[in-house]
Structures are given as structure tokens and as C-alpha cells.
């Protein structure tokens, strides 16, 4: 073989490795094709893994604090005239729904909470349990009333919801932002009532009570914002 310089040969069952001082090549022992010297200027790529820190916090970040998953609702980077910089946050606990304010030292390491979101369909209520189904695998997931909370007032059979998983357990779920509900009980509207008039309480088919415009009557379908519980419009 042409060329000068030291040459190290390392054999393996299916390959031969040839290594010079400043180069490295690979030959398949089955084909024994001539090797090509690599450029001495080439450098191997190094994968760097950067840790998440308080400097990376933003609204919607999922982090682990005291062993529980939290969602960042608000944050503010503060750099005082004296003393160390810090990040002031408002967090919501996925497990309990509680919100707290917490301060982190700038640049401090924080563990991310790996929250998985999967779409499941609410199929029916079995006693105190709410049954959700994966429409691909038909696997059922059951949640207790305490897990569902007050979101039941907008939950209807056949509704697609996003279940949230953390460490293999369901820690909550998100309803669609807008749901269509039917008015089942309300005082009758009066002639001449307009959208600019007052409001009145109406009971919808899930049992929730929504303030609706005076012109809304029994049997009408309305759109409701599940985040606020407020009437949006007629469906």
C-alpha cells in the first residue's frame, strides 16, 4: 500500500479499521475496497445536550418543582441594581390545580416535566367514573369525579378531549375551547330583546348554568367558551 507513516490495523469479524496519526478510515472486509484517506481538517461532530435553566422559562413551560409537574402561567426576568438576577414566576400545579408564585435564581437548573397530550373521546359515565376511549386502539381510560373536577359541566358524550399524561399517569385533561350546548331551561325571551340587552341564566344539557342574552330560548344551541364559562353566540 502506498504512503508512509505509521499504520495501526485492528481486525474484527466483519471489518478492518485502518488508522493513521491524523486520519481514520473504514473498510468492509467482505468487499475489501481501497480506502480513502480522510482530510486531516475534518473533525467529528459532537452532540451537546444543554440543560434547561430558569433563563429558558417561558409561558407554557412544563417544569418539575418539589416532585410535582407545574405549568408556567407568567414569568418575569428581574435584574436588580444590587444582588443577583432572578426569575419571578406564577405556576399552576397539574395535579391539584393550585397556583403559586415562585422565584428562581437566574441560570439555575430546572427539570422539565415531560407532559404527553393524547386525544381521547369521552364515551359514557359509569357510576362515579368517566370513561374515555382511544379511537385507534379502543383502549378505555377511566377517571374519577375528583380527577375531572368542575369541567363536567361542559363534558358531553362523544366529545374529544386531550388527556394529559405524566410518568404514565393521567394528571388531567383539556376540553375543547369551544363547545356547543343545548338550552334546556330558561325564561322565555321577550319581543324586542336584542343582543345589546341584558342577560338571564340558562340551564344547558350538561347541567351547567350560563348567562345568555335575553333573546335566547329553550331548545336553542349555543356556543360556550370552556375557559371562562361564558356565552359566545348562537350555534
Amino acid at each position: 500500500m502506498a504512503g508512509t507513516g505509521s499504520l495501526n490495523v485492528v481486525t474484527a469479524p466483519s471489518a478492518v479499521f485502518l488508522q493513521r496519526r491524523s486520519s481514520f478510515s473504514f473498510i468492509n472486509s467482505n468487499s475489501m475496497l481501497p480506502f480513502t484517506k480522510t482530510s486531516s481538517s475534518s473533525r467529528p461532530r459532537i452532540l451537546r445536550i444543554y440543560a434547561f435553566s430558569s433563563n429558558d422559562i417561558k409561558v407554557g413551560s412544563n417544569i418539575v418543582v418539589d416532585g410535582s409537574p407545574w405549568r408556567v402561567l407568567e414569568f418575569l426576568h428581574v435584574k436588580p441594581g444590587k444582588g443577583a438576577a432572578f426569575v419571578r414566576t406564577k405556576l399552576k400545579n397539574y395535579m391539584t390545580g393550585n397556583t403559586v408564585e415562585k422565584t428562581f435564581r437566574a441560570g439555575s437548573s430546572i427539570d422539565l416535566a415531560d407532559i404527553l397530550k393524547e386525544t381521547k373521546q369521552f364515551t359514557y359515565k359509569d357510576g362515579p367514573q368517566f370513561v374515555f376511549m382511544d379511537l385507534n386502539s379502543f383502549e378505555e381510560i377511566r377517571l374519577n369525579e375528583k380527577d375531572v373536577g368542575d369541567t363536567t359541566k361542559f363534558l358531553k358524550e362523544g366529545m374529544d378531549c386531550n388527556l394529559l399524561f405524566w410518568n404514565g399517569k393521567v394528571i388531567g385533561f383539556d376540553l375543547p375551547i369551544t363547545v356547543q350546548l343545548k338550552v334546556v331551561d330558561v325564561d322565555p325571551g321577550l319581543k324586542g330583546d336584542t343582543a345589546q340587552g341584558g342577560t338571564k341564566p340558562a340551564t344547558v344539557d350538561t347541567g351547567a348554568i350560563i348567562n345568555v342574552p335575553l333573546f335566547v330560548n329553550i331548545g336553542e344551541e349555543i356556543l360556550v367558551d370552556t375557559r371562562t364559562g361564558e356565552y359566545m353566540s348562537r350555534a
Side-chain angles (χ1 to χ4, degrees):
M1 185 176 296
T4 61
S6 61
L7 177 67
N8 296 328
V9 179
V10 181
T11 61
S14 61
V16 177
F17 298 85
L18 303 179
Q19 185 174 10
R20 293 183 183 274
R21 289 179 180 176
S22 60
S23 65
F24 181 83
S25 300
F26 174 80
I27 297 178
N28 189 311
S29 61
N30 295 327
S31 61
M32 293 303 294
L33 296 175
F35 75 94
T36 302
K37 182 178 179 180
T38 60
S39 172
S40 60
S41 61
S42 63
R43 295 290 183 269
R45 294 182 179 181
I46 300 176
L47 178 63
R48 292 182 173 87
I49 301 177
Y50 296 95
F52 187 86
S53 77
S54 58
N55 295 337
D56 302 312
I57 286 177
K58 60 183 179 181
V59 173
S61 294
N62 297 318
I63 62 177
V64 177
V65 178
D66 297 330
S68 296
W70 299 76
R71 180 180 177 85
V72 177
L73 302 179
E74 301 174 6
F75 76 98
L76 178 65
H77 292 274
V78 181
K79 189 174 183 180
K82 294 182 179 180
F86 60 90
V87 183
R88 181 182 296 122
T89 64
K90 183 176 183 181
L91 310 175
K92 182 176 181 179
N93 190 303
Y94 274 104
M95 309 288 284
T96 64
N98 296 335
T99 58
V100 299
E101 293 185 357
K102 187 172 179 62
T103 300
F104 298 91
R105 188 179 70 255
S108 59
S109 296
I110 299 176
D111 290 331
L112 286 172
D114 188 14
I115 306 294
L116 300 180
K117 183 182 293 186
E118 297 182 5
T119 301
K120 311 291 182 183
Q121 186 179 89
F122 172 59
T123 53
Y124 62 97
K125 189 173 184 290
D126 183 13
Q129 293 185 323
F130 294 80
V131 183
F132 294 81
M133 178 179 289
D134 187 308
L135 295 183
N136 294 319
S137 65
F138 301 107
E139 177 187 4
E140 288 187 348
I141 296 177
R142 293 172 176 262
L143 300 181
N144 295 319
E145 290 181 339
K146 66 177 182 179
D147 300 321
V148 178
D150 60 0
T151 55
T152 56
K153 60 186 178 184
F154 301 126
L155 193 59
K156 296 180 65 175
E157 291 184 3
M159 181 179 291
D160 289 338
C161 303
N162 289 321
L163 269 63
L164 307 178
F165 294 82
W166 182 63
N167 287 348
K169 297 180 179 180
V170 178
I171 59 173
F173 71 94
D174 294 331
L175 291 170
I177 294 177
T178 303
V179 295
Q180 182 172 325
L181 304 174
K182 183 177 181 179
V183 177
V184 296
D185 188 24
V186 69
D187 291 337
L190 300 175
K191 186 176 181 180
D193 288 339
T194 64
Q196 286 72 36
T199 61
K200 58 186 179 182
T203 303
V204 294
D205 49 350
T206 59
I209 298 178
I210 310 294
N211 286 323
V212 300
L214 297 176
F215 58 78
V216 173
N217 289 304
I218 293 176
E220 292 192 80
E221 300 276 344
I222 62 174
L223 299 179
V224 177
D225 188 325
T226 60
R227 298 168 299 181
T228 62
E230 295 179 352
Y231 169 90
M232 297 175 64
S233 67
R234 280 172 165 160

